[in-house]
Amino acid sequence: MAQVSSLNTQIVVDWGTSSFRAYNFGSNGKIIQRHQADAGILSVRNGAFEEVLEREIGRWISPSTEILLSGMITSRNGWIETPYALTPATLTALATHAVVLHSQRGAKLKFLPGVATHAPTPDVMRGEEIQIFGVVSNNESATIVLPGTHSKWAEVRDGAIAGFRTFLTGEMFALLKSHSILGRLILAGEQAFNEQAFRAGVKVVQAASSISLLNDVFTARSGVLLGAFPADDIQDRLSGMLIGHEIKAGLTLYQKGRLVLVGDPALTKRYAVALQEFGRTAEIGAADAAVDGFRRLSAEAMA
Amino acid sequence: MAQVSSLNTQIVVDWGTSSFRAYNFGSNGKIIQRHQADAGILSVRNGAFEEVLEREIGRWISPSTEILLSGMITSRNGWIETPYALTPATLTALATHAVVLHSQRGAKLKFLPGVATHAPTPDVMRGEEIQIFGVVSNNESATIVLPGTHSKWAEVRDGAIAGFRTFLTGEMFALLKSHSILGRLILAGEQAFNEQAFRAGVKVVQAASSISLLNDVFTARSGVLLGAFPADDIQDRLSGMLIGHEIKAGLTLYQKGRLVLVGDPALTKRYAVALQEFGRTAEIGAADAAVDGFRRLSAEAMA
């Protein structure tokens, strides 16, 4: 039975910094088995990646099994560092640029590449491409926005990732909140989303008086000192400013076709609210777009 | 003799977070005495500011002495929090808005205000105004740039601070260097100024491909990953990008008249280099512009 299964299925492993997710797709694209563990690459000692793979999904594997691996497992700190597929990057190119290793019991391990672009500015992604291919279908064109620590705006043209830009938005917010003079006025603890303060932050960026992010963020402090708004507003006002700056820039590049937000629901909600202030609406893609991307990849690999 | 001195001189104390600087100006504007100590407000326990003042310059003080105090000693964490003088703010307004206290032995202590503006964006300064008044003369118009943790661009019109903007440039550089993913590629230890990398960073901001600071800073990392420039370049490239963004924004506001850089020589040099890339030249003001500002203030107070 195991033998039959391995011939007609495709195993995909999404192995990131902090988590390990595996899917076993049948030839009909349905997930036959799935497994998730806190076995990210940071938890793996002495490069014992193969032992961890066997421990987690060894029961799915036979000598004829082929496994696609994606995520930070393909980075410098992972099992093997794969090169990047250059834009325009297709789903097929990901499979073509995969680096192959054979496990000790003969399974074929295909490590997928990341995607890179040199122009107009150098940029890289490693993992987000799977989410992107999970949102678009063959030959489709769309703009996919993946909010996060390093937000991506990707332009998909005729089914290929034609270009993209990364914005340090999420990381910048964390830096300013945790380590800057602005953070000293932010109250500790979780806050409910203050939509009014968030929208006010977006409006700051849209105003004619906005000349630089470096100035706008300082006003989140000076405005409190001068009584323009309460200190409680700083956190979401700052979030609105940063996301507003990202969207203002992203929209200058990507004006046409579907605009799809993919990611954590609380975060895509913020982006949808900010886009509203810019008079734009966006689709919210499936939060598990990566699974759809892997499904397409596994179908491609089995074809 | 001390009595005579106190009638014809003006004592000024520049009391900051980490340092205490005092000047005794004669009626001719010459410094008669000066004193400096590591006695910033952070080192003063239990609000014992008067004891520290007596310890440091008590020998200059008599019951008829008048002392001007400026710097963080006038902030919430200082001896007394003074209000802000609003733009347009003149040298005279600083003296007018001073908050007066009498010391236990009768000396008159005048705590100077900071300067604030509400439009077009809320902004505050506390201390830089003295440097600004040290650079310009009566009724002069000029643009004064004070690079630093929180850089200021101030427009002086007819001798008054007409408006200003603060940019979080220096703090942002420190945050990115010390706490971000970019910092992980920056080598530890002091580096000599890499002017070529710095100019390349300024040019990134000037290129048509620059759409946002949030994207530009990420390319300082992705460019290294893709071999566009060495990791050694990141630090000064990043510095060039941040200062470039500040200058690009500042120049949209302040196009006419004298453009004067005031501050730490190594930092004003970077700004001068970046301005060169923008086709502009700037005067370098005296690094001790604050002393000239205090001289004007003391003359005003004695008048």
Side-chain angles (χ1 to χ4, degrees):
Chain A
M1 285 302 288
Q3 196 67 13
V4 172
S5 164
S6 70
L7 285 170
N8 295 291
T9 67
Q10 173 71 52
I11 297 172
V12 172
V13 179
D14 178 12
W15 202 338
T17 303
S18 56
S19 71
F20 175 102
R21 290 190 186 87
Y23 307 93
N24 196 357
F25 287 98
S27 53
N28 60 357
K30 284 239 169 79
I31 295 175
I32 300 169
Q33 291 162 300
R34 70 164 79 208
H35 175 72
Q36 182 167 345
D38 292 336
I41 65 168
L42 287 184
S43 73
V44 178
R45 305 202 173 255
N46 306 315
F49 296 108
E50 185 157 351
E51 288 81 343
V52 173
L53 185 73
E54 284 289 337
R55 183 188 74 206
E56 298 298 334
I57 58 165
R59 62 197 178 281
W60 302 357
I61 303 174
S62 75
S64 62
T65 306
E66 187 182 286
I67 305 176
L68 297 177
L69 297 104
S70 170
M72 293 308 281
I73 190 71
T74 71
S75 73
R76 199 162 300 181
N77 300 318
W79 195 333
I80 191 166
E81 185 179 5
T82 59
Y84 294 100
L86 291 180
T87 55
T90 59
L91 193 67
T92 308
L94 293 191
T96 310
H97 285 77
V99 173
V100 176
L101 270 187
H102 288 272
S103 77
Q104 286 181 13
R105 41 176 187 127
K108 192 176 181 184
L109 308 176
K110 294 177 79 175
F111 293 86
L112 297 172
V115 176
T117 189
H118 288 286
T121 56
D123 220 318
V124 293
M125 59 170 73
R126 206 177 270 284
E128 292 92 344
E129 63 282 359
I130 306 292
Q131 293 176 279
I132 293 169
F133 287 121
V135 173
V136 298
S137 46
N138 280 329
N139 306 319
E140 198 191 351
S141 294
T143 298
I144 316 295
V145 180
L146 303 116
T149 305
H150 299 159
S151 288
K152 313 277 180 192
W153 283 62
E155 191 189 3
V156 178
R157 225 179 286 146
D158 300 327
I161 299 172
F164 63 96
R165 300 265 197 160
T166 303
F167 298 84
L168 207 77
T169 315
E171 182 165 6
M172 187 72 84
F173 177 75
L175 291 174
L176 291 170
K177 181 178 171 181
S178 304
H179 299 289
S180 83
I181 193 170
L182 298 168
R184 288 186 221 157
L185 293 177
I186 296 178
L187 304 176
E190 284 294 309
Q191 266 188 21
F193 178 39
N194 181 340
E195 189 173 321
Q196 170 272 329
F198 178 82
R199 286 186 188 266
V202 176
K203 287 188 175 109
V204 165
V205 176
Q206 296 179 300
S209 54
S210 172
I211 56 170
S212 170
L213 175 71
L214 294 169
N215 175 230
D216 287 343
V217 295
F218 188 78
T219 67
R221 174 179 166 80
S222 50
V224 170
L225 295 178
L226 296 178
F229 46 84
D232 283 356
D233 280 10
I234 293 184
Q235 177 159 327
D236 282 319
R237 192 178 177 95
L238 198 56
S239 169
M241 284 180 180
L242 293 172
I243 291 172
H245 269 285
E246 177 188 327
I247 288 175
K248 189 179 178 181
L251 289 177
T252 65
L253 295 174
Y254 308 100
Q255 296 277 10
K256 291 174 292 184
R258 293 174 68 196
L259 182 65
V260 189
L261 292 167
V262 179
D264 167 69
L267 198 51
T268 53
K269 192 203 164 172
R270 283 176 188 256
Y271 276 66
V273 167
L275 278 162
Q276 226 176 57
E277 291 290 335
F278 282 90
R280 297 292 299 259
T281 50
E283 295 172 43
I284 308 288
D288 62 347
V291 174
D292 294 324
F294 283 125
R295 179 176 292 120
R296 287 189 63 197
L297 254 179
S298 67
E300 180 103 5
M302 283 191 277
Chain B
M1 284 301 286
Q3 197 66 15
V4 172
S5 164
S6 70
L7 285 172
N8 296 291
T9 66
Q10 174 70 50
I11 297 172
V12 171
V13 180
D14 177 13
W15 203 338
T17 303
S18 56
S19 73
F20 175 102
R21 291 190 186 85
Y23 308 93
N24 197 357
F25 288 98
S27 54
N28 59 356
K30 285 240 170 76
I31 295 174
I32 300 168
Q33 291 161 300
R34 68 166 79 207
H35 175 72
Q36 182 167 344
D38 291 335
I41 65 167
L42 287 185
S43 74
V44 178
R45 305 200 172 255
N46 305 317
F49 296 106
E50 184 157 352
E51 289 81 342
V52 174
L53 184 75
E54 284 290 336
R55 182 188 74 206
E56 297 299 334
I57 59 165
R59 63 196 179 280
W60 301 358
I61 303 175
S62 75
S64 63
T65 306
E66 187 181 286
I67 305 176
L68 298 177
L69 297 104
S70 169
M72 292 308 281
I73 190 71
T74 72
S75 72
R76 199 162 302 181
N77 301 318
W79 195 334
I80 190 165
E81 184 180 5
T82 60
Y84 295 100
L86 291 181
T87 55
T90 59
L91 193 67
T92 308
L94 293 191
T96 310
H97 286 76
V99 172
V100 176
L101 271 187
H102 289 272
S103 77
Q104 286 181 14
R105 41 176 188 128
K108 191 177 181 183
L109 309 176
K110 295 177 78 175
F111 294 86
L112 297 171
V115 176
T117 188
H118 288 288
T121 55
D123 221 319
V124 292
M125 59 170 73
R126 202 177 272 285
E128 292 92 345
E129 63 282 358
I130 305 293
Q131 293 175 278
I132 293 169
F133 287 121
V135 172
V136 298
S137 46
N138 281 330
N139 306 321
E140 199 189 352
S141 294
T143 298
I144 316 296
V145 180
L146 303 117
T149 305
H150 298 158
S151 288
K152 312 276 181 194
W153 283 62
E155 191 188 4
V156 177
R157 223 180 288 146
D158 300 326
I161 300 173
F164 63 96
R165 299 264 198 162
T166 303
F167 297 84
L168 207 76
T169 314
E171 182 165 6
M172 187 72 83
F173 178 75
L175 290 175
L176 291 171
K177 182 178 171 182
S178 304
H179 298 289
S180 83
I181 195 170
L182 298 168
R184 290 187 219 156
L185 293 176
I186 296 177
L187 304 176
E190 284 293 309
Q191 267 189 21
F193 179 38
N194 180 341
E195 189 173 323
Q196 169 272 328
F198 178 81
R199 286 187 189 265
V202 177
K203 287 186 175 111
V204 165
V205 176
Q206 297 179 300
S209 55
S210 172
I211 56 170
S212 169
L213 175 71
L214 294 169
N215 175 229
D216 288 343
V217 296
F218 188 79
T219 67
R221 174 180 166 80
S222 51
V224 171
L225 295 178
L226 296 177
F229 46 84
D232 283 357
D233 281 10
I234 294 185
Q235 177 160 327
D236 282 319
R237 190 176 178 97
L238 197 56
S239 169
M241 284 179 181
L242 293 172
I243 291 173
H245 268 286
E246 178 188 326
I247 288 175
K248 188 179 180 181
L251 288 178
T252 64
L253 295 174
Y254 308 100
Q255 295 277 10
K256 292 175 290 185
R258 293 174 69 197
L259 182 65
V260 190
L261 293 166
V262 179
D264 166 70
L267 198 51
T268 53
K269 192 203 164 175
R270 284 177 187 255
Y271 276 67
V273 168
L275 278 162
Q276 227 176 54
E277 291 289 336
F278 281 91
R280 298 293 298 260
T281 51
E283 293 173 44
I284 307 288
D288 62 347
V291 174
D292 294 324
F294 284 125
R295 178 176 293 117
R296 287 189 62 198
L297 254 179
S298 68
E300 180 102 3
M302 282 191 281

